[in-house]
Amino acid sequence: MTNYNFGQALLDSLVGLLVVFFALVLLMCIIKIMTAVGDSREKKRAAAAPAAEAAPVAAAPAAPAAKLAPGVAGEVKLYDTDPRTAAMLMAIVADELKTPINELRFISIREIKEEA
Amino acid sequence: MQHILETLGRLGSTSGFTTMTWQQALMIVIACVLLYLGLVKKFEPLLLVGIAFGALLTNLPGSNMYHPEMWDAYIAGTMGVGQIIHEGGLLDILYIGVKSGLYPSLIFMGVGAMTDFGPLIANPKSLLLGAAAQFGIFAAFLMALGIFGFEPNVAASIGIIGGADGPTAIWLTSKLAPNYLAPIAIAAYSYMALIPLIQPPVMRLLTTKEEREIKMEQLRPVSKTQKVLFPIIVTIFVCLLLPSVAPLLGCLMLGNLFKECGLTDRLSDTAQNALMNIVTIFLSTSVGATAVAERFLAPRTLFIIILGLIAFEFATIGGLLLGKLMCKLSGGKINPLIGSAGVSAVPMAARVSQLEGARANPSNFLLMHAMGPNVAGVIGSAVAAGFLLAVFGG
């Protein structure tokens, strides 16, 4: 690299940035394809499910659905979080926002782990 | 009586107090300042305390724990690793793991085992922000070469500070410019700790209040299959594209596969705890040991510290500018603040995006959106390091 000049460095930097973009755009395309394949499989499974339900084999008496408490507005998905912590977090958020908890909609709670 | 005096005289003549040079004394002061920053100011203490203590040990006269001349001979090909193990000190032996690239790769395995790529898979466009933030690497590389007159391989190692990723910076520098390992590692880790001070002024300067207030839509859920396939696919495609990045990226993705497959919890736990802790001790002390007075105390160290800051700022600018462009193109659906999280520094940079977003609009929660570019930045900086190694490593 004895005769390496600024012009070459500029060109290498441009190529380097393009390589980074190319690699990550490639990954982006792969993730999109992976998601599309996953979604189509999910749709097929969902379409197959009602057909199976409609079949006469599914004659077992269905358990009566438990009655929901007043104000219930969906389910919170918990990832790496125990229900006790989730309940505390929802209470804290409601308190911080000064909003009644039944007016808030929690979709999921996930623990973010510290990384080095 | 005379024998006692002779013994004391001998002790005195071999004592570090009598043989210490002013440069070594200054390095001991610098090591103590770094210890203060790590222990009191809590600047990345897990790494900085070890680095500072390694610098302290290596500059104690007569300690013979690290011999830079042996590593010069190793690079020149006149000394082998076997001879270094036989004749070197404790820190020389630990340094073999840095020189071979073992420690940074194992640290990456632990990082992979702790990283959730879910936000990235849910919003693949974040990969673009992770790529744009690597602009800082190449901007600092050009400045180091054109303005400060560093050699190309050293300039490349300085540039990688902009990747805001300690293991990547150490991995590349140990291969391209081992004599500059200590200042580059110290600059990388110090600025990572200072991200909450470095980024916000640039973020506020480059974005309008309206942009910072933008609320983003909830991310879609990601299936377990996608999370398991992701590390395998990334390893295959990126390592085929750029084989030189395989040790770093391969270990990152292996650690992530341990985490996501659900069948190797024990391995995932070891990678992110016991193994990571052991390697961190070895890595930090041996990197600190390279801060030998006669090499560290040079104007170039100061230039590296300045260039490191420039690299971080340009990385932030790169991510923010693409964030603004994506905001415009999406009709205001993307908050440009998540762009600055593309500089890696997981999860600190994502937290800064969250804080700035919440400052503009208290009901704004950008953290999960910023985690996408944040982990994309880890992949992006590894790819950039692989590119620089491929160009300047020959």
Side-chain angles (χ1 to χ4, degrees):
Chain A
M1 287 275 164
T2 43
N3 296 320
Y4 193 75
N5 58 41
F6 191 75
Q8 286 169 302
L10 203 63
L11 215 60
D12 277 342
S13 298
L14 195 68
V15 174
L17 206 52
L18 285 176
V19 167
V20 173
F21 265 99
F22 178 73
L24 297 193
V25 167
L26 184 73
L27 284 183
M28 190 175 89
C29 297
I30 292 166
I31 293 173
K32 287 201 174 217
I33 293 168
M34 198 167 78
T35 307
V37 171
D39 286 352
S40 71
R41 283 181 62 185
E42 200 62 41
K43 272 182 195 161
K44 272 184 195 164
R45 203 175 296 158
E53 269 173 28
V57 184
K67 202 180 169 193
L68 293 174
V72 169
E75 278 181 8
V76 183
K77 289 194 175 70
L78 302 182
Y79 300 99
D80 300 329
T81 313
D82 60 276
R84 187 183 157 87
T85 310
M88 280 195 290
L89 285 171
M90 289 190 281
I92 291 166
V93 171
D95 185 53
E96 288 283 324
L97 295 175
K98 308 274 181 256
T99 309
I101 200 159
N102 60 351
E103 288 179 28
L104 294 171
R105 186 176 167 218
F106 293 90
I107 291 168
S108 68
I109 297 175
R110 182 192 304 272
E111 185 189 347
I112 309 287
K113 288 177 180 150
E114 287 280 336
E115 290 175 14
Chain B
M1 187 63 188
Q2 197 182 347
H3 178 72
I4 294 171
L5 286 174
E6 274 175 17
T7 306
L8 288 176
R10 239 188 340 262
L11 271 176
S13 66
T14 57
S15 157
F17 285 109
T18 54
T19 55
M20 187 187 290
T21 62
W22 71 267
Q23 290 97 334
Q24 286 169 323
L26 183 57
M27 280 309 296
I28 289 171
V29 172
I30 290 172
C32 290
V33 170
L34 291 174
L35 278 172
Y36 170 80
L37 292 176
L39 295 171
V40 182
K41 295 290 177 186
K42 297 187 172 51
F43 283 15
E44 295 281 331
L46 289 175
L47 264 301
L48 204 55
V49 170
I51 291 176
F53 213 84
L56 181 68
L57 288 173
T58 202
N59 287 293
L60 293 172
S63 66
N64 282 325
M65 293 179 83
Y66 177 76
H67 301 83
E69 65 282 358
M70 282 188 189
W71 288 103
D72 289 344
Y74 171 79
I75 292 166
T78 55
M79 197 173 207
V81 172
Q83 206 177 344
I84 291 174
I85 293 173
H86 188 66
E87 294 173 19
L90 173 70
L91 294 175
D92 284 309
I93 295 167
L94 292 184
Y95 185 69
I96 294 169
V98 177
K99 194 72 201 132
S100 62
L102 175 71
Y103 299 155
S105 302
L106 291 179
I107 294 258
F108 250 48
M109 192 186 291
V111 171
M114 285 195 275
T115 302
D116 178 10
F117 285 103
L120 177 66
I121 302 169
N123 182 15
K125 283 180 199 145
S126 357
L127 280 157
L128 297 175
L129 296 168
Q134 307 316 314
F135 174 59
I137 293 177
F138 297 102
F141 162 70
L142 287 173
M143 284 190 194
L145 194 88
I147 299 172
F148 292 90
F150 282 95
E151 300 78 16
N153 57 324
V154 183
S157 298
I158 294 169
I160 204 69
I161 298 174
D165 202 313
T168 308
I170 291 170
W171 179 76
L172 186 70
T173 308
S174 67
K175 293 182 185 307
L176 293 185
N179 287 340
Y180 294 88
L181 191 55
I184 287 173
I186 289 169
Y189 281 111
S190 304
Y191 289 134
M192 273 162 67
L194 290 171
I195 282 251
L197 298 177
I198 293 172
Q199 285 196 319
V202 185
M203 291 163 87
R204 278 175 234 148
L205 190 74
L206 292 181
T207 55
T208 62
K209 190 162 188 299
E210 289 71 37
E211 285 173 335
R212 293 197 293 274
E213 281 175 348
I214 293 173
K215 280 189 181 182
M216 291 180 69
E217 282 173 19
Q218 182 83 20
L219 290 173
R220 69 172 181 84
V222 175
S223 71
K224 191 183 170 185
T225 313
Q226 287 177 326
K227 285 189 173 185
V228 172
L229 285 176
F230 180 76
I232 301 168
I233 289 171
V234 170
T235 306
I236 293 171
F237 281 92
V238 179
C239 295
L240 280 177
L241 180 71
L242 212 58
S244 54
V245 81
L248 270 189
L249 205 72
C251 284
L252 179 77
M253 292 302 152
L254 175 62
N256 190 249
L257 187 60
F258 285 156
K259 173 185 184 282
E260 298 296 354
C261 72
L263 300 168
T264 52
D265 288 347
R266 281 164 52 195
L267 303 185
S268 170
D269 177 58
T270 302
Q272 58 183 287
N273 294 301
L275 182 64
M276 180 100 152
N277 291 341
I278 292 168
V279 176
T280 300
I281 296 168
F282 290 173
L283 178 77
S284 57
T285 44
S286 48
V287 165
T290 61
V292 182
E294 61 261 31
R295 299 187 181 199
F296 192 86
L297 294 175
R300 287 192 146 201
T301 300
L302 200 63
F303 297 156
I304 290 170
I305 304 290
I306 295 167
L307 283 163
L309 182 62
I310 292 170
F312 265 66
E313 295 293 16
F314 274 94
T316 307
I317 291 169
L320 281 171
L321 289 180
L322 191 68
K324 279 174 81 78
L325 181 68
M326 287 170 74
C327 175
K328 287 263 185 299
L329 294 177
S330 66
K333 284 183 183 165
I334 293 174
N335 188 319
L337 287 179
I338 66 167
S340 65
V343 302
S344 309
V346 182
M348 192 92 82
R351 279 191 195 148
V352 172
S353 299
Q354 157 67 23
L355 285 173
E356 283 304 307
R359 188 170 288 161
N361 179 354
S363 63
N364 208 353
F365 293 98
L366 293 177
L367 187 64
M368 289 316 285
H369 300 285
M371 283 306 290
N374 209 192
V375 293
V378 177
I379 301 173
S381 56
V383 172
F387 171 80
L388 292 171
L389 183 66
V391 175
F392 301 107

